[in-house]
Amino acid sequence: MEMERVETADEVVERRTIVTALPLKRPARERLAALLDARVLDVRAPCAHADLVLTPACSPQLIAALGEKYDGARVVVELDDWEFDIELSGPVKRILRSGAAAYVLADSLDELAAKLGAARPEAGSASID
């Protein structure tokens, strides 16, 4: 006979904590929390530890300050969501909307070459010499 396991009050399921410096209203934070199965808090809420900090494109000083406050956890986000009336386009989205086919980040020529080499032209298409 198999016994059913009963959780005690001491057994708490740990969820990721995401702090958002994005100007998100409560319904948007709640939706994100549900989608990620995480706690999503506004940056102004008290929080001792964050697994992720979401911030819009901002100054390097602000990103560094968030990194110090939340022990290095941070992600820069460019987000548009018409359902929640969010328009936080940054430089990358503006570049892509202006017609660029891609945006590549590389920390060295070796890394750039590796990323560009992975995107080979199809047979029969023109190549750049």
Side-chain angles (χ1 to χ4, degrees):
M1 180 173 180
E2 192 172 308
M3 295 192 63
E4 182 180 354
R5 185 172 185 276
V6 178
E7 285 188 359
T8 66
D10 294 334
E11 295 176 326
V12 177
V13 176
E14 288 193 30
R15 296 188 310 165
R16 289 188 299 174
T17 298
I18 300 171
V19 171
T20 177
L22 302 170
L24 300 180
K25 296 177 182 165
R26 181 183 305 269
R29 285 194 311 271
E30 290 172 353
R31 173 75 176 275
L32 190 58
L35 291 168
L36 297 173
D37 189 28
R39 292 176 53 217
V40 177
L41 305 173
D42 185 88
V43 72
R44 295 167 289 197
C47 178
H49 168 77
D51 297 296
L52 293 173
V53 178
L54 305 179
T55 179
C58 56
S59 72
Q61 293 85 359
L62 179 54
I63 290 174
L66 289 169
E68 287 177 24
K69 181 176 180 178
Y70 296 106
D71 197 26
R74 65 204 177 281
V75 177
V76 177
V77 175
E78 295 186 27
L79 171 68
D80 294 322
D81 188 315
W82 309 123
E83 179 182 346
F84 289 96
D85 194 30
I86 300 168
E87 189 173 351
L88 299 169
S89 296
V92 175
K93 278 196 170 217
R94 288 192 297 271
I95 288 168
L96 294 173
R97 285 185 182 149
S98 71
Y103 190 91
V104 178
L105 297 174
D107 291 325
S108 68
L109 289 175
D110 291 341
E111 184 179 357
L112 177 62
K115 288 181 177 182
L116 295 177
R120 297 251 182 236
E122 293 181 23
S125 65
S127 63
I128 298 173
D129 292 325

